[in-house]
Amino acid sequence: ARGANGVVIVTTKRGKSGAPQANVTAGLGVSTLARKMEVFSADEFRTEVPKIGLLDDKGGDTDWQKEVTRTAITQNYNMSLSGGTDKFNYYASFGMQKQQGIIKANELDRYTGRFNATQKFWDDRLTIDANVTVTNTKNDRPPFGTIVGDAISNNPTYPAYGDDGKPAIYLNLSNPLILFDLEREMQTINRVVGTISSSLRIINGLVFKFNFGVDNSAGTLDLQSRPSANPVRLGRLETYLNNNRNRLVESYLTYTKSKGEHNFSAM
C-alpha cells in the first residue's frame, strides 16, 4: 500500500489476457463466546452471599451471560469476472458479507464492488491503470457496554423471563434482555476509493509517472431509544453525520541508467 494525506492506493487482483473467467465462492463461519467471565452460579450465590450479608433470592437459576450471547453465523459470498487482451485487461468483483455478533441483536452487512482495468497505448510506451472500490457497510447493534455490564453483575437467582414469557421487569435490577428491544445503534458507511495512474516512457530509461487518488466516505450514526410504558422510557433519536474526503496527486520522473536510478518528482 502507498498513501499520502489519508489516501491509500491498494493493489488488487488484476485481469489477464485470454478468455473471460468467472469465479464464484461462498463461505460459512460460526462464532461462539470463547470464555465466559467467572461469576457465581445461582447455587454458589445462595451459598456465598449469606456469609457477608442478606440474600435477595427470587428462586431463579439464570446464566445471564448465556442469555445475552448466541452462536453467531457469518456468511461470505464473492463473484468475479476477468479477462483481456495483450493491450487491455480488466477485473471486476462483487462481495457480500453478512455477519452476526455473538451478542444478540448485533448484525453487520457489508457489500463491496471492485473494478480495475489496464490499457496500453503507443506500442506499450503509455500504460494507464484505473481502480475503483465501492463499499456499503451497515452495522445494527445494541448498547454493548450496558448489556455486558449487567450480564456479569446481575443476581443469578433472578429469572430472566416472567410468567408471560417476556423479559422480566424488576425495580432493583436491570434486565439486559429489555435493552435489546429498546436501545439501538444503527450505523451506515458508504465509501468510494478510486485511483488512476499512468506511466509514459519518454525515451529509454526516462519514465514520467502520474498518480491521482480519491478516498471519500459518508457515514450516518442513529442512536435510537424506543418509548416504553413499562419500564418508563421516553423515545429519542439522535443522528450524527460524518464525511471524509481525501485526494492524492503525485507526478514524478524516473531516470534509470546502468549504475542506478534517479527520481525527479513534483507533487
Side-chain angles (χ1 to χ4, degrees), residues 192-243:
V192 178
V193 179
T195 62
I196 296 178
S197 61
S198 62
S199 176
L200 176 62
R201 179 164 52 87
I202 301 173
I203 59 175
N204 290 336
L206 184 62
V207 178
F208 173 77
K209 295 183 178 181
F210 174 80
N211 295 319
F212 174 77
V214 296
D215 184 351
N216 294 341
S217 65
T220 302
L221 174 62
D222 292 322
L223 305 180
Q224 181 187 62
S225 294
R226 296 178 180 175
S228 172
N230 189 20
V232 177
R233 284 177 177 266
L234 298 177
R236 177 177 59 90
L237 177 64
E238 298 180 16
T239 299
Y240 299 89
L241 303 177
N242 182 45
N243 291 281

Side-chain angles (χ1 to χ4, degrees), residues 33-216:
L33 183 63
R35 181 172 60 87
K36 293 182 180 179
M37 295 288 292
E38 295 183 3
V39 297
F40 286 154
S41 66
D43 291 338
E44 292 171 334
F45 193 86
R46 293 185 177 99
T47 301
E48 299 297 330
V49 171
K51 297 178 181 179
I52 58 174
L54 297 176
L55 173 63
D56 181 11
D57 190 347
K58 298 296 184 183
D61 184 4
T62 303
D63 183 343
W64 288 104
Q65 294 181 71
K66 181 179 179 180
E67 293 294 337
V68 302
T69 59
R70 64 182 176 184
T71 298
I73 304 298
T74 299
Q75 305 173 65
N76 284 289
Y77 304 96
N78 293 276
M79 61 182 70
S80 65
L81 179 66
S82 63
T85 64
D86 292 339
K87 300 295 184 182
F88 174 77
N89 61 63
Y90 63 90
Y91 179 91
S93 67
F94 174 78
M96 177 176 66
Q97 179 187 60
K98 300 180 72 67
Q99 181 177 10
Q100 295 178 337
I102 59 173
I103 300 295
K104 293 178 179 178
N106 181 21
E107 309 281 345
L108 185 145
D109 294 336
R110 178 178 289 116
Y111 304 90
T112 304
R114 293 188 175 93
F115 178 79
N116 61 61
T118 300
Q119 177 70 62
K120 296 181 179 180
F121 301 92
W122 302 337
D123 297 327
D124 298 345
R125 297 175 67 89
L126 173 63
T127 301
I128 297 178
D129 294 314
N131 303 270
V132 63
T133 300
V134 180
T135 305
N136 171 261
T137 304
K138 295 182 179 180
N139 195 357
D140 189 355
R141 58 186 180 234
F144 289 136
T146 304
I147 288 175
V148 173
D150 290 343
I152 62 178
S153 63
N154 275 358
N155 186 334
T157 69
Y158 274 58
Y161 297 91
D163 295 335
D164 58 359
K166 297 179 179 180
I169 299 174
Y170 302 103
L171 294 177
N172 59 339
L173 180 142
S174 175
N175 188 340
L177 300 180
I178 296 176
L179 297 179
F180 287 125
D181 294 326
L182 297 182
E183 302 289 335
R184 221 42 161 197
E185 296 180 14
M186 297 165 289
Q187 186 178 41
T188 300
I189 299 175
N190 295 307
R191 186 179 183 186
V192 178
V193 179
T195 62
I196 296 178
S197 61
S198 62
S199 176
L200 176 62
R201 179 164 52 87
I202 301 173
I203 59 175
N204 290 336
L206 184 62
V207 178
F208 173 77
K209 295 183 178 181
F210 174 80
N211 295 319
F212 174 77
V214 296
D215 184 351
N216 294 341

Side-chain angles (χ1 to χ4, degrees), residues 248-262:
L248 167 68
V249 179
E250 179 185 48
S251 62
Y252 54 92
L253 282 171
T254 299
Y255 176 60
T256 305
K257 60 181 181 179
S258 58
K259 293 184 179 181
E261 180 178 283
H262 304 271

